[in-house]
Amino acid sequence: MAETQAATEGTQSEGLSPELRSKMALALDVDDLVQATRFARQLAPWFGVAKIGLELYTAAGPDAVGAMIDLGFDVFLDIKLHDIPTTVHKAASVAGSLGVSYLTMHAHGGAGMLKAGVDGFNEGALSAELPAPTALAITVLTSDADAPEHIVPARLRVAVEAGCGGIVCAASDLKDIREMAPRTLRVVPGIRAADGDRHDQPKAVTPSEALQAGADLLVVGRAVTLAEDPAAAAAALFGAL
Ligand code: C5P
């Protein structure tokens, strides 16, 4: 991403290189666009991607997407679409036309739904004369303790065949996913400092561990947003990179 208004407002000397910054997604898990914008501005030297989840999107809708694009971020809309193909196609098309770069969909929805979502997402971006975006598949929720193990490779296969460009996975699955789908973008949440609070992430890893294991995009939320000084927490978290 080109140098942005947001990036120039931060302390460049403390931030990441443009290449690393484009691999870091800030999870804006708040219900208030003012607060989200504050985090985004403060943390822009470390993050090139702003992740808008269900909480912020329910509160602020497309305004949240526009606000983050205006600040110079690539937007990751993490609303985990799962519905009939027609509905997913239309919703994904709106996301594409808004300028969303990454959009999540549940692979549980099946090949037809995923393909409809990928097509809609691409068509929306094309209609707004924007570059082709990346649809991301969720194989299983980490909270789904009943999901059988064999389901992850099966859903990964369906997602790749449907044209999803990326997959959200735990760092522990990176090796298998690299082997099964080497050209698929690998997105990894659960990033923490080695000595940091893990909150509810049982499989937390540090940024360097995730990158070394082959992650392409790291999702970071509470490790910085719950800190008393988010910028200092980001500097410490990414200090070893
Ligand atoms: O860094 P933190 O644990 O706060 O990040 C949580 C973010 O990662 C949330 O936005 C959540 O939706 C996302 N996520 C997750 N676990 C997964 C997939 C995504 O925590 N398996």
Side-chain angles (χ1 to χ4, degrees):
M1 190 170 54
E3 178 128 275
T4 64
Q5 181 196 344
T8 51
E9 282 176 14
T11 315
Q12 280 301 302
S13 60
E14 285 181 11
L16 291 173
S17 67
E19 197 203 335
L20 277 174
R21 190 177 166 268
S22 69
K23 291 174 182 263
M24 303 302 167
L26 173 62
L28 294 166
D29 292 326
V30 291
D31 65 2
D32 171 6
L33 186 50
V34 173
Q35 178 61 49
T37 303
R38 204 172 285 141
F39 277 137
R41 284 181 183 278
Q42 215 174 359
L43 293 163
W46 292 275
F47 294 90
V49 180
K51 184 169 93 72
I52 296 169
L54 286 170
E55 188 180 0
L56 182 57
Y57 199 67
T58 303
D63 286 352
V65 176
M68 293 307 138
I69 290 174
D70 288 348
L71 285 172
F73 291 92
D74 289 338
V75 171
F76 176 165
L77 187 59
D78 185 15
I79 53 174
K80 300 183 175 68
L81 297 176
H82 189 178
D83 208 316
I84 58 168
T86 304
T87 302
V88 169
H89 179 272
K90 288 179 179 170
S93 172
V94 175
S97 70
L98 291 173
V100 170
S101 300
Y102 305 98
L103 174 69
T104 48
M105 301 187 282
H106 274 292
H108 190 200
M113 188 211 83
L114 290 173
K115 175 88 172 52
V118 168
D119 288 348
F121 198 25
N122 285 328
E123 286 161 22
L126 194 65
S127 72
E129 298 182 10
L130 294 166
T134 305
L136 304 175
I138 310 283
T139 52
V140 285
L141 290 174
T142 42
S143 54
D144 184 357
D146 297 332
E149 254 184 46
H150 71 267
I151 210 79
V152 173
R155 288 194 182 151
L156 173 64
R157 213 168 303 119
V158 170
V160 171
E161 281 168 17
C164 290
I167 192 104
V168 182
C169 65
S172 51
D173 293 332
L174 280 168
K175 190 170 169 288
D176 289 348
I177 287 172
R178 269 173 103 173
E179 281 164 16
M180 285 186 277
R183 286 186 301 281
T184 298
L185 187 98
R186 295 167 294 263
V187 181
V188 175
I191 306 295
R192 296 289 183 279
D195 57 354
D197 188 333
R198 302 197 156 219
H199 307 107
D200 54 5
Q201 293 282 6
K203 296 177 177 176
V205 288
T206 65
S208 5
E209 285 167 345
L211 290 171
Q212 273 162 25
D216 299 299
L217 188 60
L218 278 57
V219 175
V220 180
R222 290 165 292 179
V224 292
T225 56
L226 286 188
E228 220 165 277
D229 182 342
L237 181 68
F238 297 127
L241 296 181

PDB file of all heavy atoms in Angstrom, residues 61-96:
ATOM      1  N   GLY A  61     -21.721  -0.144  10.235  1.00  0.00           N
ATOM      2  CA  GLY A  61     -21.975  -0.508   8.842  1.00  0.00           C
ATOM      3  C   GLY A  61     -20.905  -0.012   7.873  1.00  0.00           C
ATOM      4  O   GLY A  61     -19.733   0.136   8.245  1.00  0.00           O
ATOM      5  N   PRO A  62     -21.323   0.282   6.633  1.00  0.00           N
ATOM      6  CA  PRO A  62     -20.367   0.694   5.600  1.00  0.00           C
ATOM      7  C   PRO A  62     -19.570   1.950   5.964  1.00  0.00           C
ATOM      8  O   PRO A  62     -18.491   2.165   5.413  1.00  0.00           O
ATOM      9  CB  PRO A  62     -21.255   0.951   4.377  1.00  0.00           C
ATOM     10  CG  PRO A  62     -22.459   0.121   4.609  1.00  0.00           C
ATOM     11  CD  PRO A  62     -22.685   0.107   6.091  1.00  0.00           C
ATOM     12  N   ASP A  63     -20.076   2.779   6.880  1.00  0.00           N
ATOM     13  CA  ASP A  63     -19.294   3.959   7.290  1.00  0.00           C
ATOM     14  C   ASP A  63     -17.949   3.543   7.871  1.00  0.00           C
ATOM     15  O   ASP A  63     -16.947   4.249   7.729  1.00  0.00           O
ATOM     16  CB  ASP A  63     -20.043   4.779   8.356  1.00  0.00           C
ATOM     17  CG  ASP A  63     -21.203   5.562   7.749  1.00  0.00           C
ATOM     18  OD1 ASP A  63     -21.302   5.578   6.501  1.00  0.00           O
ATOM     19  OD2 ASP A  63     -21.998   6.128   8.516  1.00  0.00           O
ATOM     20  N   ALA A  64     -17.950   2.397   8.558  1.00  0.00           N
ATOM     21  CA  ALA A  64     -16.699   1.913   9.156  1.00  0.00           C
ATOM     22  C   ALA A  64     -15.707   1.542   8.045  1.00  0.00           C
ATOM     23  O   ALA A  64     -14.516   1.839   8.144  1.00  0.00           O
ATOM     24  CB  ALA A  64     -16.965   0.708  10.055  1.00  0.00           C
ATOM     25  N   VAL A  65     -16.226   0.921   6.997  1.00  0.00           N
ATOM     26  CA  VAL A  65     -15.356   0.556   5.868  1.00  0.00           C
ATOM     27  C   VAL A  65     -14.780   1.824   5.232  1.00  0.00           C
ATOM     28  O   VAL A  65     -13.564   1.952   5.025  1.00  0.00           O
ATOM     29  CB  VAL A  65     -16.146  -0.262   4.810  1.00  0.00           C
ATOM     30  CG1 VAL A  65     -15.278  -0.549   3.590  1.00  0.00           C
ATOM     31  CG2 VAL A  65     -16.673  -1.565   5.423  1.00  0.00           C
ATOM     32  N   GLY A  66     -15.662   2.790   4.956  1.00  0.00           N
ATOM     33  CA  GLY A  66     -15.219   4.040   4.321  1.00  0.00           C
ATOM     34  C   GLY A  66     -14.201   4.777   5.181  1.00  0.00           C
ATOM     35  O   GLY A  66     -13.210   5.302   4.668  1.00  0.00           O
ATOM     36  N   ALA A  67     -14.440   4.792   6.505  1.00  0.00           N
ATOM     37  CA  ALA A  67     -13.530   5.525   7.403  1.00  0.00           C
ATOM     38  C   ALA A  67     -12.139   4.920   7.366  1.00  0.00           C
ATOM     39  O   ALA A  67     -11.130   5.636   7.326  1.00  0.00           O
ATOM     40  CB  ALA A  67     -14.080   5.507   8.828  1.00  0.00           C
ATOM     41  N   MET A  68     -12.056   3.593   7.344  1.00  0.00           N
ATOM     42  CA  MET A  68     -10.734   2.947   7.347  1.00  0.00           C
ATOM     43  C   MET A  68     -10.031   3.103   5.994  1.00  0.00           C
ATOM     44  O   MET A  68      -8.823   3.298   5.936  1.00  0.00           O
ATOM     45  CB  MET A  68     -10.859   1.461   7.730  1.00  0.00           C
ATOM     46  CG  MET A  68     -11.308   1.255   9.161  1.00  0.00           C
ATOM     47  SD  MET A  68     -10.262   2.150  10.342  1.00  0.00           S
ATOM     48  CE  MET A  68     -11.502   2.808  11.462  1.00  0.00           C
ATOM     49  N   ILE A  69     -10.810   3.058   4.923  1.00  0.00           N
ATOM     50  CA  ILE A  69     -10.205   3.292   3.601  1.00  0.00           C
ATOM     51  C   ILE A  69      -9.680   4.729   3.531  1.00  0.00           C
ATOM     52  O   ILE A  69      -8.564   4.978   3.050  1.00  0.00           O
ATOM     53  CB  ILE A  69     -11.228   2.998   2.479  1.00  0.00           C
ATOM     54  CG1 ILE A  69     -11.488   1.487   2.406  1.00  0.00           C
ATOM     55  CG2 ILE A  69     -10.719   3.527   1.131  1.00  0.00           C
ATOM     56  CD1 ILE A  69     -12.584   1.076   1.448  1.00  0.00           C
ATOM     57  N   ASP A  70     -10.454   5.670   4.052  1.00  0.00           N
ATOM     58  CA  ASP A  70     -10.012   7.076   4.037  1.00  0.00           C
ATOM     59  C   ASP A  70      -8.723   7.271   4.826  1.00  0.00           C
ATOM     60  O   ASP A  70      -7.928   8.155   4.530  1.00  0.00           O
ATOM     61  CB  ASP A  70     -11.100   7.995   4.608  1.00  0.00           C
ATOM     62  CG  ASP A  70     -12.283   8.132   3.658  1.00  0.00           C
ATOM     63  OD1 ASP A  70     -12.142   7.702   2.490  1.00  0.00           O
ATOM     64  OD2 ASP A  70     -13.339   8.646   4.083  1.00  0.00           O
ATOM     65  N   LEU A  71      -8.528   6.450   5.855  1.00  0.00           N
ATOM     66  CA  LEU A  71      -7.291   6.547   6.643  1.00  0.00           C
ATOM     67  C   LEU A  71      -6.133   5.822   5.957  1.00  0.00           C
ATOM     68  O   LEU A  71      -5.010   5.835   6.447  1.00  0.00           O
ATOM     69  CB  LEU A  71      -7.498   5.955   8.043  1.00  0.00           C
ATOM     70  CG  LEU A  71      -8.306   6.807   9.025  1.00  0.00           C
ATOM     71  CD1 LEU A  71      -8.597   6.014  10.294  1.00  0.00           C
ATOM     72  CD2 LEU A  71      -7.548   8.076   9.378  1.00  0.00           C
ATOM     73  N   GLY A  72      -6.420   5.168   4.854  1.00  0.00           N
ATOM     74  CA  GLY A  72      -5.356   4.530   4.078  1.00  0.00           C
ATOM     75  C   GLY A  72      -5.177   3.041   4.319  1.00  0.00           C
ATOM     76  O   GLY A  72      -4.222   2.449   3.814  1.00  0.00           O
ATOM     77  N   PHE A  73      -6.077   2.436   5.070  1.00  0.00           N
ATOM     78  CA  PHE A  73      -5.946   0.999   5.355  1.00  0.00           C
ATOM     79  C   PHE A  73      -6.575   0.153   4.252  1.00  0.00           C
ATOM     80  O   PHE A  73      -7.552   0.563   3.618  1.00  0.00           O
ATOM     81  CB  PHE A  73      -6.659   0.644   6.668  1.00  0.00           C
ATOM     82  CG  PHE A  73      -5.989   1.193   7.889  1.00  0.00           C
ATOM     83  CD1 PHE A  73      -6.360   2.424   8.403  1.00  0.00           C
ATOM     84  CD2 PHE A  73      -4.971   0.487   8.519  1.00  0.00           C
ATOM     85  CE1 PHE A  73      -5.738   2.946   9.528  1.00  0.00           C
ATOM     86  CE2 PHE A  73      -4.346   1.007   9.638  1.00  0.00           C
ATOM     87  CZ  PHE A  73      -4.735   2.232  10.153  1.00  0.00           C
ATOM     88  N   ASP A  74      -6.054  -1.055   4.079  1.00  0.00           N
ATOM     89  CA  ASP A  74      -6.790  -2.082   3.356  1.00  0.00           C
ATOM     90  C   ASP A  74      -7.815  -2.606   4.353  1.00  0.00           C
ATOM     91  O   ASP A  74      -7.488  -2.808   5.529  1.00  0.00           O
ATOM     92  CB  ASP A  74      -5.855  -3.229   2.943  1.00  0.00           C
ATOM     93  CG  ASP A  74      -4.903  -2.809   1.842  1.00  0.00           C
ATOM     94  OD1 ASP A  74      -5.207  -1.847   1.128  1.00  0.00           O
ATOM     95  OD2 ASP A  74      -3.830  -3.437   1.718  1.00  0.00           O
ATOM     96  N   VAL A  75      -9.042  -2.839   3.896  1.00  0.00           N
ATOM     97  CA  VAL A  75     -10.085  -3.275   4.835  1.00  0.00           C
ATOM     98  C   VAL A  75     -10.355  -4.774   4.726  1.00  0.00           C
ATOM     99  O   VAL A  75     -10.523  -5.324   3.637  1.00  0.00           O
ATOM    100  CB  VAL A  75     -11.389  -2.470   4.628  1.00  0.00           C
ATOM    101  CG1 VAL A  75     -12.532  -3.072   5.434  1.00  0.00           C
ATOM    102  CG2 VAL A  75     -11.172  -1.017   5.052  1.00  0.00           C
ATOM    103  N   PHE A  76     -10.377  -5.398   5.887  1.00  0.00           N
ATOM    104  CA  PHE A  76     -10.670  -6.828   6.043  1.00  0.00           C
ATOM    105  C   PHE A  76     -12.041  -6.861   6.728  1.00  0.00           C
ATOM    106  O   PHE A  76     -12.169  -6.500   7.893  1.00  0.00           O
ATOM    107  CB  PHE A  76      -9.556  -7.401   6.919  1.00  0.00           C
ATOM    108  CG  PHE A  76      -9.663  -8.851   7.330  1.00  0.00           C
ATOM    109  CD1 PHE A  76      -8.533  -9.472   7.849  1.00  0.00           C
ATOM    110  CD2 PHE A  76     -10.816  -9.605   7.213  1.00  0.00           C
ATOM    111  CE1 PHE A  76      -8.563 -10.796   8.259  1.00  0.00           C
ATOM    112  CE2 PHE A  76     -10.869 -10.932   7.612  1.00  0.00           C
ATOM    113  CZ  PHE A  76      -9.733 -11.526   8.143  1.00  0.00           C
ATOM    114  N   LEU A  77     -13.073  -7.229   5.954  1.00  0.00           N
ATOM    115  CA  LEU A  77     -14.425  -7.277   6.518  1.00  0.00           C
ATOM    116  C   LEU A  77     -14.700  -8.701   6.986  1.00  0.00           C
ATOM    117  O   LEU A  77     -14.909  -9.613   6.175  1.00  0.00           O
ATOM    118  CB  LEU A  77     -15.449  -6.817   5.475  1.00  0.00           C
ATOM    119  CG  LEU A  77     -16.886  -6.652   5.978  1.00  0.00           C
ATOM    120  CD1 LEU A  77     -16.982  -5.631   7.120  1.00  0.00           C
ATOM    121  CD2 LEU A  77     -17.816  -6.228   4.834  1.00  0.00           C
ATOM    122  N   ASP A  78     -14.662  -8.863   8.310  1.00  0.00           N
ATOM    123  CA  ASP A  78     -14.770 -10.208   8.888  1.00  0.00           C
ATOM    124  C   ASP A  78     -16.194 -10.424   9.393  1.00  0.00           C
ATOM    125  O   ASP A  78     -16.464 -10.386  10.586  1.00  0.00           O
ATOM    126  CB  ASP A  78     -13.747 -10.326  10.030  1.00  0.00           C
ATOM    127  CG  ASP A  78     -13.691 -11.734  10.610  1.00  0.00           C
ATOM    128  OD1 ASP A  78     -14.217 -12.660   9.968  1.00  0.00           O
ATOM    129  OD2 ASP A  78     -13.119 -11.891  11.701  1.00  0.00           O
ATOM    130  N   ILE A  79     -17.116 -10.614   8.429  1.00  0.00           N
ATOM    131  CA  ILE A  79     -18.515 -10.805   8.822  1.00  0.00           C
ATOM    132  C   ILE A  79     -18.984 -12.234   8.526  1.00  0.00           C
ATOM    133  O   ILE A  79     -20.174 -12.524   8.600  1.00  0.00           O
ATOM    134  CB  ILE A  79     -19.460  -9.743   8.190  1.00  0.00           C
ATOM    135  CG1 ILE A  79     -19.299  -9.675   6.681  1.00  0.00           C
ATOM    136  CG2 ILE A  79     -19.208  -8.376   8.834  1.00  0.00           C
ATOM    137  CD1 ILE A  79     -20.321  -8.753   6.000  1.00  0.00           C
ATOM    138  N   LYS A  80     -18.053 -13.098   8.181  1.00  0.00           N
ATOM    139  CA  LYS A  80     -18.293 -14.540   8.088  1.00  0.00           C
ATOM    140  C   LYS A  80     -19.649 -14.883   7.454  1.00  0.00           C
ATOM    141  O   LYS A  80     -20.545 -15.428   8.094  1.00  0.00           O
ATOM    142  CB  LYS A  80     -18.169 -15.184   9.473  1.00  0.00           C
ATOM    143  CG  LYS A  80     -16.792 -14.987  10.101  1.00  0.00           C
ATOM    144  CD  LYS A  80     -16.641 -15.687  11.433  1.00  0.00           C
ATOM    145  CE  LYS A  80     -15.246 -15.599  12.006  1.00  0.00           C
ATOM    146  NZ  LYS A  80     -14.800 -14.260  12.437  1.00  0.00           N
ATOM    147  N   LEU A  81     -19.773 -14.571   6.170  1.00  0.00           N
ATOM    148  CA  LEU A  81     -21.046 -14.793   5.468  1.00  0.00           C
ATOM    149  C   LEU A  81     -21.389 -16.287   5.410  1.00  0.00           C
ATOM    150  O   LEU A  81     -20.521 -17.137   5.182  1.00  0.00           O
ATOM    151  CB  LEU A  81     -20.958 -14.231   4.050  1.00  0.00           C
ATOM    152  CG  LEU A  81     -20.745 -12.719   3.933  1.00  0.00           C
ATOM    153  CD1 LEU A  81     -20.589 -12.313   2.463  1.00  0.00           C
ATOM    154  CD2 LEU A  81     -21.897 -11.951   4.568  1.00  0.00           C
ATOM    155  N   HIS A  82     -22.660 -16.584   5.622  1.00  0.00           N
ATOM    156  CA  HIS A  82     -23.145 -17.974   5.557  1.00  0.00           C
ATOM    157  C   HIS A  82     -24.654 -17.913   5.334  1.00  0.00           C
ATOM    158  O   HIS A  82     -25.420 -17.700   6.258  1.00  0.00           O
ATOM    159  CB  HIS A  82     -22.821 -18.689   6.878  1.00  0.00           C
ATOM    160  CG  HIS A  82     -23.073 -20.172   6.833  1.00  0.00           C
ATOM    161  ND1 HIS A  82     -22.814 -21.002   7.891  1.00  0.00           N
ATOM    162  CD2 HIS A  82     -23.574 -20.966   5.853  1.00  0.00           C
ATOM    163  CE1 HIS A  82     -23.129 -22.243   7.570  1.00  0.00           C
ATOM    164  NE2 HIS A  82     -23.600 -22.245   6.342  1.00  0.00           N
ATOM    165  N   ASP A  83     -25.065 -18.070   4.072  1.00  0.00           N
ATOM    166  CA  ASP A  83     -26.495 -17.948   3.743  1.00  0.00           C
ATOM    167  C   ASP A  83     -26.702 -18.633   2.396  1.00  0.00           C
ATOM    168  O   ASP A  83     -25.780 -19.278   1.884  1.00  0.00           O
ATOM    169  CB  ASP A  83     -26.878 -16.452   3.700  1.00  0.00           C
ATOM    170  CG  ASP A  83     -28.347 -16.220   4.056  1.00  0.00           C
ATOM    171  OD1 ASP A  83     -29.208 -16.976   3.556  1.00  0.00           O
ATOM    172  OD2 ASP A  83     -28.633 -15.291   4.823  1.00  0.00           O
ATOM    173  N   ILE A  84     -27.863 -18.482   1.799  1.00  0.00           N
ATOM    174  CA  ILE A  84     -28.064 -19.098   0.485  1.00  0.00           C
ATOM    175  C   ILE A  84     -27.166 -18.379  -0.535  1.00  0.00           C
ATOM    176  O   ILE A  84     -26.831 -17.195  -0.344  1.00  0.00           O
ATOM    177  CB  ILE A  84     -29.545 -19.060   0.044  1.00  0.00           C
ATOM    178  CG1 ILE A  84     -30.075 -17.632  -0.011  1.00  0.00           C
ATOM    179  CG2 ILE A  84     -30.408 -19.928   0.952  1.00  0.00           C
ATOM    180  CD1 ILE A  84     -31.423 -17.502  -0.696  1.00  0.00           C
ATOM    181  N   PRO A  85     -26.781 -19.072  -1.611  1.00  0.00           N
ATOM    182  CA  PRO A  85     -25.838 -18.473  -2.563  1.00  0.00           C
ATOM    183  C   PRO A  85     -26.261 -17.098  -3.086  1.00  0.00           C
ATOM    184  O   PRO A  85     -25.424 -16.188  -3.185  1.00  0.00           O
ATOM    185  CB  PRO A  85     -25.766 -19.512  -3.688  1.00  0.00           C
ATOM    186  CG  PRO A  85     -26.023 -20.817  -2.996  1.00  0.00           C
ATOM    187  CD  PRO A  85     -27.035 -20.505  -1.926  1.00  0.00           C
ATOM    188  N   THR A  86     -27.540 -16.916  -3.401  1.00  0.00           N
ATOM    189  CA  THR A  86     -27.976 -15.624  -3.951  1.00  0.00           C
ATOM    190  C   THR A  86     -27.709 -14.486  -2.967  1.00  0.00           C
ATOM    191  O   THR A  86     -27.218 -13.418  -3.349  1.00  0.00           O
ATOM    192  CB  THR A  86     -29.501 -15.676  -4.263  1.00  0.00           C
ATOM    193  OG1 THR A  86     -29.719 -16.767  -5.128  1.00  0.00           O
ATOM    194  CG2 THR A  86     -29.990 -14.404  -4.890  1.00  0.00           C
ATOM    195  N   THR A  87     -28.030 -14.725  -1.708  1.00  0.00           N
ATOM    196  CA  THR A  87     -27.849 -13.681  -0.689  1.00  0.00           C
ATOM    197  C   THR A  87     -26.370 -13.384  -0.471  1.00  0.00           C
ATOM    198  O   THR A  87     -25.964 -12.221  -0.367  1.00  0.00           O
ATOM    199  CB  THR A  87     -28.525 -14.130   0.628  1.00  0.00           C
ATOM    200  OG1 THR A  87     -29.898 -14.373   0.343  1.00  0.00           O
ATOM    201  CG2 THR A  87     -28.399 -13.084   1.713  1.00  0.00           C
ATOM    202  N   VAL A  88     -25.571 -14.437  -0.430  1.00  0.00           N
ATOM    203  CA  VAL A  88     -24.133 -14.241  -0.226  1.00  0.00           C
ATOM    204  C   VAL A  88     -23.533 -13.512  -1.432  1.00  0.00           C
ATOM    205  O   VAL A  88     -22.700 -12.609  -1.276  1.00  0.00           O
ATOM    206  CB  VAL A  88     -23.437 -15.601   0.043  1.00  0.00           C
ATOM    207  CG1 VAL A  88     -21.927 -15.471  -0.005  1.00  0.00           C
ATOM    208  CG2 VAL A  88     -23.879 -16.131   1.401  1.00  0.00           C
ATOM    209  N   HIS A  89     -24.001 -13.868  -2.633  1.00  0.00           N
ATOM    210  CA  HIS A  89     -23.520 -13.186  -3.845  1.00  0.00           C
ATOM    211  C   HIS A  89     -23.785 -11.690  -3.747  1.00  0.00           C
ATOM    212  O   HIS A  89     -22.894 -10.854  -3.987  1.00  0.00           O
ATOM    213  CB  HIS A  89     -24.230 -13.784  -5.068  1.00  0.00           C
ATOM    214  CG  HIS A  89     -23.839 -13.154  -6.365  1.00  0.00           C
ATOM    215  ND1 HIS A  89     -24.463 -12.040  -6.871  1.00  0.00           N
ATOM    216  CD2 HIS A  89     -22.845 -13.462  -7.246  1.00  0.00           C
ATOM    217  CE1 HIS A  89     -23.897 -11.703  -8.019  1.00  0.00           C
ATOM    218  NE2 HIS A  89     -22.910 -12.545  -8.265  1.00  0.00           N
ATOM    219  N   LYS A  90     -24.989 -11.330  -3.350  1.00  0.00           N
ATOM    220  CA  LYS A  90     -25.352  -9.902  -3.306  1.00  0.00           C
ATOM    221  C   LYS A  90     -24.586  -9.159  -2.212  1.00  0.00           C
ATOM    222  O   LYS A  90     -24.110  -8.046  -2.419  1.00  0.00           O
ATOM    223  CB  LYS A  90     -26.865  -9.762  -3.086  1.00  0.00           C
ATOM    224  CG  LYS A  90     -27.672 -10.154  -4.323  1.00  0.00           C
ATOM    225  CD  LYS A  90     -29.150 -10.014  -4.042  1.00  0.00           C
ATOM    226  CE  LYS A  90     -29.975 -10.371  -5.272  1.00  0.00           C
ATOM    227  NZ  LYS A  90     -31.399 -10.478  -4.956  1.00  0.00           N
ATOM    228  N   ALA A  91     -24.501  -9.784  -1.044  1.00  0.00           N
ATOM    229  CA  ALA A  91     -23.789  -9.122   0.059  1.00  0.00           C
ATOM    230  C   ALA A  91     -22.304  -8.956  -0.279  1.00  0.00           C
ATOM    231  O   ALA A  91     -21.707  -7.899  -0.033  1.00  0.00           O
ATOM    232  CB  ALA A  91     -23.947  -9.927   1.349  1.00  0.00           C
ATOM    233  N   ALA A  92     -21.715  -9.987  -0.874  1.00  0.00           N
ATOM    234  CA  ALA A  92     -20.295  -9.925  -1.226  1.00  0.00           C
ATOM    235  C   ALA A  92     -20.054  -8.877  -2.312  1.00  0.00           C
ATOM    236  O   ALA A  92     -19.027  -8.193  -2.311  1.00  0.00           O
ATOM    237  CB  ALA A  92     -19.812 -11.299  -1.692  1.00  0.00           C
ATOM    238  N   SER A  93     -21.024  -8.743  -3.199  1.00  0.00           N
ATOM    239  CA  SER A  93     -20.896  -7.742  -4.256  1.00  0.00           C
ATOM    240  C   SER A  93     -20.884  -6.329  -3.652  1.00  0.00           C
ATOM    241  O   SER A  93     -20.093  -5.468  -4.058  1.00  0.00           O
ATOM    242  CB  SER A  93     -22.055  -7.909  -5.239  1.00  0.00           C
ATOM    243  OG  SER A  93     -22.063  -6.867  -6.149  1.00  0.00           O
ATOM    244  N   VAL A  94     -21.743  -6.100  -2.655  1.00  0.00           N
ATOM    245  CA  VAL A  94     -21.743  -4.788  -1.981  1.00  0.00           C
ATOM    246  C   VAL A  94     -20.378  -4.560  -1.322  1.00  0.00           C
ATOM    247  O   VAL A  94     -19.784  -3.484  -1.458  1.00  0.00           O
ATOM    248  CB  VAL A  94     -22.875  -4.686  -0.935  1.00  0.00           C
ATOM    249  CG1 VAL A  94     -22.786  -3.372  -0.173  1.00  0.00           C
ATOM    250  CG2 VAL A  94     -24.246  -4.818  -1.595  1.00  0.00           C
ATOM    251  N   ALA A  95     -19.880  -5.588  -0.644  1.00  0.00           N
ATOM    252  CA  ALA A  95     -18.572  -5.444   0.025  1.00  0.00           C
ATOM    253  C   ALA A  95     -17.488  -5.096  -0.996  1.00  0.00           C
ATOM    254  O   ALA A  95     -16.668  -4.204  -0.768  1.00  0.00           O
ATOM    255  CB  ALA A  95     -18.216  -6.735   0.770  1.00  0.00           C
ATOM    256  N   GLY A  96     -17.506  -5.765  -2.134  1.00  0.00           N
ATOM    257  CA  GLY A  96     -16.516  -5.480  -3.178  1.00  0.00           C
ATOM    258  C   GLY A  96     -16.624  -4.060  -3.681  1.00  0.00           C
ATOM    259  O   GLY A  96     -15.623  -3.365  -3.865  1.00  0.00           O
TER     260      GLY A  96
END
